[in-house]
Amino acid sequence: MTWLFDFWRSSIGGKVTMAITGLLLFGFVVAHLLGNLQLFAGPEAINAYARFLHERQGLLWVARLGLLAVFVLHVVTGIRLARGNRAARPVPYAKDDTVQATFASRSMVFSGLSLLVFVLYHLLHFTFGLTNPAHYARKAAGADGHDVYAMVTASFHVPAIAIAYAGFQIVLFLHLRHGIQSLAQTLGLHHGRYTPWIARASVVLALFVAGGNALLALSVLSGLVTVAP
Amino acid sequence: MKVVLHVWRQQRRSTKQDFVQDGRMVRYELDHVSPDMSFLEMLDVLNEQLIRKGEDPVAFDHDCREGICGSCGVVIDGVPHGPERGTTACQLHMRSFRDGAEIWVEPWRAAAFPVVRDLVVDRSAFDRVVQAGAFVSVNTGAPQDANAIPVPKAAADRAFDAATCIGCGACVAACKNASAMLFVGAKVSHFLHLPQGRVERERRARNLVAAMDAEGFGNCTNQNECEAVCPKEIPVRVIAELNREFVRARLIEEPVGKKRVGGDG
């Protein structure tokens, strides 16, 4: 397996690792959003979905551990590459300028590290129930222990939480907006005809995921989605 | 026209082991600059002025002064080779600046390009990358009859797009990560589309990337700044080709024999 480690350690191997793990993580955030959009269909729909997932403990744990491995690899490789990039320019320009690099592309390290903090908070909030134990308790208290609807609406009814979640979607948008088109280029998908469309699709897909997530939080806050009694 | 220059002055030579940080930006005023002068001619005028005053002239690299040798190159107002697209610093003219402009002039800034003095950097890292395999070493025999080896026009154009690289290093200077992937991509793409070059494609991709990594260049994050400043307008397509070639060489093609051809990249 040393060949695989050697590949990972090379500059392009690191980039390819970022692209493949990034693609998998993008797939996850899309699936995560599609699952959560069932909040709009009411408590029965989303709670049935939660029950559906939890009835498959074996598969659920395979998915969780796989996702964790992919996430850790993305973060570790990203930090390794970013450190290399910093070391590659020891003296900064006295006057720096940018011709065509987007703000999103220049802030990938910042947006990535911000998302890491957000994901940790998100897990503490809804998965481990440590930040708002009262909200978490509502999940177990509801019908057959999977009242996700009650937990989520109780949380997003708190303005600070809803606004923090919605605000972080701007960071997610920036990260995906560059990340999706960047991973295509890294995997060697470059074509005079399609590359400009990949760039546009990248913006649309990022807007869909980040906008959808923000919509969920803000819909509860604004009362569009009613809070469980 | 008048210009105010801020020029990077550095006496001590940097090396990769000892990257000197004690240079500084020095302000100079020039009163009689013709808009028809090239940027380098303007620096010549500055140096004459400095020599008359008994000061050290500003060291900068230059050779052909017609945009084809790749010797010149300074970062002008934060952009390698200055504000005009597809133009080397020697082909940039002072008419591109307004009268009274303040212009910031700095060397390429990259760990792989240590500053020799003032605006001159050591670009031998590029030479070592080229020596690692940016050439054809298979025996191609005696001179062929014309058109004995058919090369489609589209392939010849792609190869030529990459072959126009003059190795100036602006891509590294412009890259936010000081990555050399546009340069290395150009070397790979240059040979990839031609039958003589394809023979050694795996070895070339492996060895060029290994040499590039060993020189301490950064890693491409697809921000495309390199393409924007390249005086030969080499497209980032060559980076996608480099990525494909490296993955093909390292993960897809089976190594020949027990020992890999060309050593372990």
Side-chain angles (χ1 to χ4, degrees):
Chain A
M1 289 296 274
T2 50
W3 58 271
L4 196 58
F5 183 66
D6 284 346
F7 178 75
W8 175 80
R9 260 197 331 190
S10 71
S11 54
I12 294 180
K15 275 159 50 101
V16 170
T17 306
M18 292 305 280
I20 292 172
T21 53
L23 184 64
L24 293 170
L25 291 170
F26 172 66
F28 170 75
V29 291
V30 170
H32 186 55
L33 171 64
L34 294 178
N36 289 349
L37 282 176
Q38 296 175 72
L39 197 73
F40 289 111
E44 293 79 21
I46 192 152
N47 291 347
Y49 176 62
R51 215 165 31 243
F52 169 82
L53 292 181
H54 280 271
E55 278 165 0
R56 285 151 186 81
Q57 281 292 316
L59 280 176
L60 187 67
W61 276 101
V62 169
R64 278 175 168 170
L65 293 176
L67 187 62
L68 182 69
V70 166
F71 188 79
V72 168
L73 195 56
H74 193 73
V75 173
V76 169
T77 311
I79 290 173
R80 195 204 94 208
L81 292 172
R83 283 170 57 99
N85 294 345
R86 286 192 150 222
R89 176 154 297 139
V91 180
Y93 285 107
K95 178 155 180 169
D96 209 349
D97 199 6
T98 296
V99 186
Q100 63 181 22
T102 58
F103 174 75
S105 76
R106 285 179 286 134
S107 51
M108 286 302 272
V109 175
F110 175 76
S111 59
L113 291 175
S114 305
L115 286 170
L116 174 63
V117 172
F118 174 74
V119 166
L120 292 177
Y121 165 71
H122 183 50
L123 289 175
L124 291 177
H125 182 199
F126 283 138
T127 307
F128 300 110
L130 292 173
T131 57
N132 297 82
H135 299 161
Y136 190 68
R138 296 204 56 176
K139 184 170 89 165
D144 49 86
H146 290 296
D147 200 351
V148 174
Y149 187 88
M151 174 178 73
V152 170
T153 54
S155 278
F156 288 157
H157 191 57
V158 180
I161 295 177
I163 290 168
Y165 268 82
F168 256 105
Q169 299 312 311
I170 298 170
V171 181
L172 181 62
F173 167 77
L174 289 173
H175 202 72
L176 293 180
R177 179 232 182 289
H178 178 68
I180 298 167
Q181 61 179 28
S182 183
L183 76 86
Q185 166 81 358
T186 297
L187 296 178
L189 303 173
H190 187 102
H191 190 289
R193 195 176 295 147
Y194 307 126
T195 293
W197 286 100
I198 294 174
R200 287 180 201 119
S202 194
V203 176
V204 172
L205 290 169
L207 208 56
F208 167 69
V209 172
N213 286 335
L215 188 68
L216 280 165
L218 297 177
S219 296
V220 176
L221 182 66
S222 65
L224 196 71
V225 169
T226 47
V227 178
Chain B
M1 58 190 278
K2 292 182 181 184
V3 291
V4 178
L5 295 172
H6 299 270
V7 183
W8 180 261
R9 301 305 308 264
Q10 179 174 327
Q11 292 272 331
R12 247 175 73 206
R13 186 189 179 114
S14 287
T15 60
K16 282 194 178 177
Q17 291 72 35
D18 174 27
F19 211 92
V20 177
Q21 315 243 357
D22 57 0
R24 62 197 177 94
M25 301 299 287
V26 178
R27 188 175 189 278
Y28 300 103
E29 287 182 23
L30 275 184
D31 291 339
H32 302 290
V33 174
S34 157
D36 298 327
M37 281 177 182
S38 75
F39 197 84
L40 299 190
E41 284 165 341
M42 183 274 294
L43 290 179
D44 292 336
V45 171
L46 168 69
N47 279 344
E48 281 170 20
Q49 185 176 306
L50 290 176
I51 290 164
R52 270 198 301 275
K53 281 198 283 183
E55 294 177 27
D56 268 344
V58 177
F60 63 91
D61 254 331
H62 62 100
D63 188 25
C64 75
R65 298 209 179 196
E66 54 187 12
I68 56 168
C69 77
S71 294
C72 71
V74 287
V75 175
I76 302 164
D77 288 337
V79 179
H81 291 300
E84 302 290 339
R85 281 226 169 195
T87 307
T88 53
C90 64
Q91 290 291 300
L92 174 70
H93 290 85
M94 295 312 293
R95 54 181 168 268
S96 299
F97 300 88
R98 57 176 179 75
D99 193 14
E102 284 206 38
I103 306 171
W104 298 70
V105 191
E106 300 176 64
W108 291 170
R109 297 203 188 275
F113 291 160
V115 173
V116 176
R117 192 189 177 99
D118 299 335
L119 304 174
V120 178
V121 298
D122 174 0
R123 284 171 288 192
S124 58
F126 270 10
D127 300 337
R128 289 186 289 274
V129 170
V130 169
Q131 284 163 4
F135 48 79
V136 171
S137 61
V138 291
N139 194 346
T140 51
Q144 304 273 341
D145 285 341
N147 302 325
I149 303 172
V151 177
K153 170 77 169 123
D157 284 350
R158 280 169 181 265
F160 191 73
D161 278 352
T164 56
C165 172
I166 53 176
C168 66
C171 44
V172 175
C175 178
K176 304 292 180 192
N177 312 318
S179 165
M181 288 195 194
L182 193 75
F183 172 77
V184 178
K187 299 304 146 207
V188 164
S189 180
H190 178 164
F191 296 104
L192 176 63
H193 301 286
L194 301 174
Q196 297 90 337
R198 280 185 103 94
V199 180
E200 296 167 291
R201 60 192 285 193
E202 289 92 16
R203 183 162 73 179
R204 181 173 303 114
R206 264 199 308 270
N207 292 355
L208 289 194
V209 172
M212 169 180 80
D213 289 354
E215 293 294 340
F217 291 108
N219 310 290
C220 172
T221 50
N222 303 321
Q223 305 188 63
N224 303 354
E225 282 292 286
C226 50
E227 172 186 77
V229 303
C230 175
K232 299 300 156 187
E233 301 186 298
I234 292 173
V236 292
R237 184 198 82 226
V238 301
I239 300 181
E241 288 176 344
L242 171 68
N243 295 338
R244 278 206 296 265
E245 283 297 293
F246 184 72
V247 168
R248 186 178 179 280
R250 292 301 298 264
L251 300 184
I252 297 171
E253 285 295 299
E254 200 173 344
V256 180
K258 274 198 172 167
K259 197 162 182 277
R260 278 182 216 168
V261 179
D264 199 344

